[in-house]
Structure formats: C-alpha cells, structure tokens
Amino acid sequence: LLQVHAFPSSKMIYAALLCLIPFLLLISYRRRKPNTVGFFHPYCNAGGGGERVLWCAIRSMQARFPKLKYIVFSGDRDASKEQILLRAKQRFNIEIDPSNVDFVFLRLRSLVETRLPFTLLLQTLAGGVLSVEALCYLCPSLMIDSMGYPLSLPIFKWLGGSDVAAYVHYPTISCDMIDVVARRESSFNNKGIIARWPLLSQIKLAYYKAFAKAYGLAGRAADVVMVNGSWTASHIRQLWQQECSVVFPPCDIEGLLAIPGRAEEVLKNDKRVNILSIGQIRPEKNHKLQLEILKEVLEGLRNRNIDVKVDVTLTIAGGCRNEDDESRVKELKELAEKLGLQKNLEWKLNVPYGELIELLNSSLISLHTMHNEHFGISVVEALAAGTIMVAHKSGGPAMDIVVPCEGEASVGYLASTREEFVSSILSIISLSPSSRSQIRESARLSSQRFSEGVFEEKWNEAIGGLIESTA
Ligand SMILES: *[C@@H]1O[C@H](CO)[C@@H](O)[C@H](O)[C@H]1NC(C)=O
Ligand SMILES: *[C@@H]1O[C@H](CO)[C@@H](O)[C@H](O)[C@H]1NC(C)=O
C-alpha cells in the first residue's frame, strides 16, 4: 500500500496493465527478432563509467559483427538517437556507426528510482517491470544487461526466448553486506537501530539471504556472464554459481603509452627524484600518510652514507572540488609545515590535462595510498605513463592492476604499512637505471590489459559463442 501513494495514477495504470502482459506474452510467445542484439541500459545517456563500457561494447560488436542490428533499450526520452550518439562521441571519443543502431525508449524508468523502504527489493522488481515493458516493444535474439537489472535476465530468457548475457559492474547484493548484518555491525546499509536490536537484525538477515538466493536464481538465467574485475568475479561466482569472464572496463591509455619520460634525466642531471600522487583530495585517499612517507624517505636518504645527494619532491595533483576538499588541503599544508616538508612538497590542484601529462613525464615514482580502492584508474594511467608505481596492497591495485602478466617481471610495488611504502621508495631510488627501465617496460606492457583494444577482443570472445545462435 505504501507504493500506491508514491506513484502518480497514470503510472499505476501502466503497472496494472504490465502485470497482465506476461500472461499475454506467454500465450502468444512472440517470435524473437533474428540477428538483433539488445542492450538493456535505461540510463544510456548518463556519461559515467558504465556508459563508456556500453558504447565500447557496441563499437566492438559493430566491428566484428557488422551485419547484426543493435538496439539500446533506453529511458532517456528527452534525447534523440542523434543526441545520444553525439554525446558518446563528445564525452568518450567513441564513434558509433548509426546505420545499424537504434533505440527503443521506455516510459517506466521512473519506477526504478524508488526511495521507499526495502529499496533493494523494490528497485529490483521495478527493473523487472521495466524489462517487461522493453520486451513488449521488441524481443531481440540476444539481450545483454549492461546495467545490472537482474530480473531482465530471466524475463528476456523465459518470456521472450532470447539468449541473454550480463556484464556486471557490481553485485546488487554482496556477501560482505550479509556479513555486516550477521555480525550486527552498524554501517551505511545497516542503521544503528537495527544493529542494536537482535530481532530486527535477524529479520534483516533473513531478508538479505532470501534476496541473495533470488538474485542467484535470476543470475543463473544468463548464458554468458562478464564481470568488470576480480572482486566482482569472486562475488558473482559465489552468488550466481556461474562461471564468468573478467573483461576489464576500457581505459584510454594510448596517449599515455607514448609519453617518453624524462625522470632518469632529471635524476642524473639534477639529482632529483619526483614522486607524483594523483587523486582527488578526499579523506579515503589518505594524503596524510603520503606526507609521513615523504618525511621518512627524506630521513632515510639523509641517513644513508652515499656520496651523491639526491633530493626528493612529492607533487600532489588532483581535483579539489568543494570547500571540504579545500579545508583538507589547508590541514595538510599545516601538517607539512609541522613536519618541515614545505621545500619538498608541491601542490598542483585542478591542473589541466596537459600539465598532468608533463608531471607524469618528469616523475620517477607514482604513489597511491588509498586502502581498498575498487579499481583505481589513476593507477593504470600511472603504469601506462611509465612511472614506477607504489600502491596500497589492497582492492583493485592488488588484485588486478599491479600484478605481473604471465611470465612478466615486476610491474611495480605494493605496500601495506608506512614502513613498506618508505622502503619501496628507497629501493626504487637505489636501483640501477636499467633495472628501473625493465620495470617500466613491464608496467607499460601490463597496462595494456586495460586498453580499448583488449576490451574489444575479450568482449567479442565472450559473446561470440552466442552470436551463432542469434540467426
Ligand atoms: C566495477 O564497477 C564498479 C561500479 O561502477 C566500480 O566501483 C569498480 O571500481 C569497477 N571495477 C573495475 C575493476 O573496474
Ligand atoms: C617529455 O619530456 C621529453 C624530454 O624532455 C620532451 O621531449 C617531451 O616533449 C615531453 N613530453 C611531454 C608529453 O610532455
């Protein structure tokens, strides 16, 4: 009954009609449209990382399977096909051939924006209603859910008779979320009151577990599952009990691979080592730790009895978006002064891209201190640009990025404690130039796992098996 008041009445009528439609569909069992690939992506005009994947995927498939027809199920009724494709070009520099792409516009997208209690469940159900709407307009021979609406998988598969595939960025429910409730901890998705009351906790736990079961059942409908990284892969394998291929989201690294790098010159001629830290000035990035590391690196170099003195500069570059960020910068500057680091520290906030490239060009080492970063696109970029990475040993950097490809040498350093960060940096400085250049080469090579080219190959490889059956 809660829902009834929340939606305007015209939407309710649609919803009621849509409840009938599955039965009608079952009776008529519409024939699926041959040689058609549908992408279920209701927010295709949004311009985030998920949309980058969508357009890259369509472009990749157009190149390999030019005869197929591509349909995007979108809820962006305020934009035309031309506008959406233009935005993809401007935002991501991805050119889509318009001749075999079309859009089907959905009316019920606002349903998935619900903010009612049991959001998880209601949003998932609303995604199901939206899928049924999509299916009424058109039933493709292959449907790909690229946005994470799990019910779209069984709906297209069992009601429409399509083959279905999923690209998962993030599991709707994760095993971690269930653990948090089970341990009765309080966190963002587990409000304090629920953590305190055992009975509420148990109800919530039962709800999550039931949801996870249902999520698993929906996921099992998929014929092909792709995930965006190892973390997601481990959760999806557990929840869906399905094999899945890791297809990393594409990063634009072509330009970075071409940076020649002059850090060795700077070290040889000016006796200076530049360390670069790129990232927004947010607390989780842990810039404070970077300052402490700098201080100990300087001490370490001083205590070392070598005749050539080397000076170290840490440059903190990154977005500083609001007052909170600015006040954090102020605090960090005060801390730097207290530690006596002003001479060795530079700030490059909100600098244009060209300047960032120049910083990468002249830096020997890149520093990344965030704990449990999901992915860390800046870490990939630092590798591609030929700096030697020292990254936190957790999350995406540890699982996916700063790991050697088969048979490759080291591509960078991982550290968990301040001491490990400091000793990694000191050992990079004392390596021979040829050892450093070996690391740089391996790093650049391994960063190509995240290129658009590799994405295209992996995507088509994963989806290729289903294409034969689309005819
Ligand atoms: C996968 O997608 C999620 C959600 O957008 C993101 O947080 C995560 O960093 C991505 N992982 C990889 C490996 O790109
Ligand atoms: C990088 O440094 C080299 C050597 O000094 C210079 O020739 C080149 O223009 C620089 N490249 C970029 C992209 O800044």
Side-chain angles (χ1 to χ4, degrees), residues 274-342:
N274 290 326
I275 303 178
L276 180 60
S277 150
I278 297 183
Q280 259 184 59
I281 313 298
R282 283 190 276 123
E284 63 272 21
K285 298 280 178 190
N286 208 349
H287 289 93
K288 183 165 166 279
L289 177 59
Q290 298 179 0
L291 298 183
E292 292 165 1
I293 291 168
L294 175 62
K295 183 175 160 63
E296 291 194 14
V297 165
L298 291 170
E299 279 168 7
L301 285 173
R302 234 173 277 136
N303 294 343
R304 222 187 245 180
N305 288 324
I306 34 175
D307 9 311
V308 248
K309 286 281 167 221
V310 182
D311 207 10
V312 173
T313 306
L314 171 66
T315 304
I316 298 183
C320 181
R321 295 202 175 165
N322 49 36
E323 271 169 38
D324 284 351
D325 289 358
E326 271 156 34
S327 73
R328 254 189 301 280
V329 170
K330 204 165 145 261
E331 275 169 35
L332 287 166
K333 283 184 175 161
E334 281 165 12
L335 176 63
E337 200 162 333
K338 219 164 77 197
L339 298 175
L341 297 174
Q342 306 95 303

Side-chain angles (χ1 to χ4, degrees), residues 135-266:
L135 189 54
C136 291
Y137 299 141
L138 185 114
C139 176
S141 41
L142 166 61
M143 201 288 300
I144 302 171
D145 168 36
S146 47
M147 252 195 102
Y149 290 103
L151 283 181
S152 67
L153 301 168
I155 286 175
F156 274 85
K157 176 142 180 142
W158 305 120
L159 293 184
S162 311
D163 289 323
V164 294
Y167 185 89
V168 188
H169 289 269
Y170 202 82
T172 305
I173 186 161
S174 69
C175 318
D176 303 356
M177 278 160 77
I178 299 176
D179 284 349
V180 167
V181 186
R183 279 184 277 117
R184 301 198 5 220
E185 277 174 18
S186 142
S187 79
F188 73 99
N189 65 351
N190 196 29
K191 299 207 184 83
I193 177 166
I194 291 186
R196 276 199 305 278
W197 286 72
L199 183 62
L200 282 183
S201 241
Q202 298 220 323
I203 292 173
K204 181 152 187 186
L205 188 59
Y207 162 57
Y208 269 15
K209 282 193 166 158
F211 187 89
K213 265 258 162 358
Y215 182 57
L217 285 176
R220 245 155 277 167
D223 300 299
V224 163
V225 183
M226 294 170 275
V227 291
N228 76 345
S230 304
W231 186 86
T232 312
S234 68
H235 285 262
I236 290 296
R237 283 197 188 110
Q238 203 171 340
L239 289 161
W240 290 11
Q241 317 244 313
Q242 279 253 51
E243 227 357 87
C244 47
S245 357
V246 175
V247 180
F248 291 122
C251 305
D252 193 5
I253 54 173
E254 288 306 308
L256 297 170
L257 288 169
I259 295 178
R262 56 187 182 86
E264 295 292 344
E265 279 170 49
V266 174

Side-chain angles (χ1 to χ4, degrees), residues 7-22 77 105-111 129-130 132-133 136-137:
F7 301 130
S9 55
S10 70
K11 295 230 178 75
M12 277 186 53
I13 295 168
Y14 276 129
L17 280 177
L18 281 170
C19 291
L20 283 174
I21 283 162
R77 301 179 59 80
F105 292 100
L106 306 172
R107 291 168 190 279
L108 298 177
R109 189 177 75 182
S110 55
L111 288 183
V129 174
L130 201 59
V132 172
E133 188 197 2
C136 291
Y137 299 141

